[in-house]
Amino acid sequence: MFAELEKLYEENPATYTDLQQEVFHEFLVALNRGEIRAAEPASNTATGWKVNGWVKKGILVGFRMGKVVEFGKTNAGQGFFDKATYPLRPISLADGIRVVPGGSSIRTGTYIGRGVTCMPPMYINVGAYVGDGTMVDSHALIGSCAQVGSGCHISAAAQIGGVLEPVGALPCVIEDDVVVGGNCGVYEGVVVKRRAVLGSGAILNASTPVYDLVRGVVLRADEGQPLIVPEGAVVVAGCREIGSGIGKEWGISLYTPVIVKYRDEKTNAKVRLEDVLRSDKM
């Protein structure tokens, strides 16, 4: 059924038929239900994940297909203007999702699991997947097509970057039970394996190596592959000296993320998430 969207992506027609728009609507419904996703676990890959480029193509078709319309007004009379194909995600009480009042937005085409708590103001973009029981804190961003597991805490002002284009690129992945500290940034398709902890202010991207002090190795993104943060790693913001040239002469250091330990009982006690805050009981 959705092969039609991939065809539309390649053909890029000037107009779309009612039937084609209906196919796109069903595509959004499937994304909202988690029946399809921009990336999914795959044990036979180096990252443990595979990208579904055809899903990204379908999302991009939606941007081409939709016209900019007005989505209502605030009490002050300010209107909101966006593509008609991407309104807010429909949420009902039966979904078991808590969206606390205060200015949060979740775009349609997004899977939100039961027991997810959304603290205001936060934003979740199209194509994202957020697993059961995850907390998305104030001012946090979960970008387009980002994959976030169950039982995670995306802390205040953290950013999980969107990777909608290129269509073949793996989105950012945060696996189960990961804690992303306040003001962290995860970009360019980085994969953070399960139970890892990112300390406040840690920035991860494909260009920045991670220095593992425990195992004595430097982790880098291979050509065409994402940076992978190991399971249970505790990553903090660090720095390293420039070893040559004018940078050394001036005493300049560069930012780098550093693995200082691997998760243990002491770490678990510090980052323990309260089940009562993630209950979907109505």
Side-chain angles (χ1 to χ4, degrees), residues 39-87:
E40 61 185 278
S43 59
N44 61 340
T45 67
T47 62
W49 289 79
K50 72 169 185 176
V51 61
N52 292 323
W54 69 270
V55 173
K56 288 187 172 187
K57 290 179 180 179
I59 293 171
L60 289 168
V61 166
F63 283 104
R64 294 174 182 170
M65 183 181 290
K67 296 181 179 180
V68 176
V69 299
E70 182 173 348
F71 285 107
K73 286 184 168 68
T74 65
N75 291 337
Q78 172 64 56
F80 293 92
F81 307 91
D82 198 7
K83 294 285 188 173
T85 42
Y86 288 113

Side-chain angles (χ1 to χ4, degrees), residues 32-33 89-101 104-107 110-119 122 124 130-136 277-282:
N32 287 338
R33 292 175 176 169
R89 184 191 190 280
I91 297 175
S92 71
L93 189 64
D95 291 324
I97 302 167
R98 292 176 59 201
V99 183
V100 179
S104 296
S105 293
I106 304 172
R107 223 173 189 175
T110 301
Y111 176 76
I112 308 293
R114 295 192 68 84
V116 169
T117 301
C118 301
M119 298 299 294
M122 58 98 248
I124 303 177
V130 181
D132 295 351
T134 284
M135 167 75 79
V136 185
L277 296 179
R278 287 148 189 83
S279 172
D280 63 356
K281 183 177 180 181
M282 298 298 175

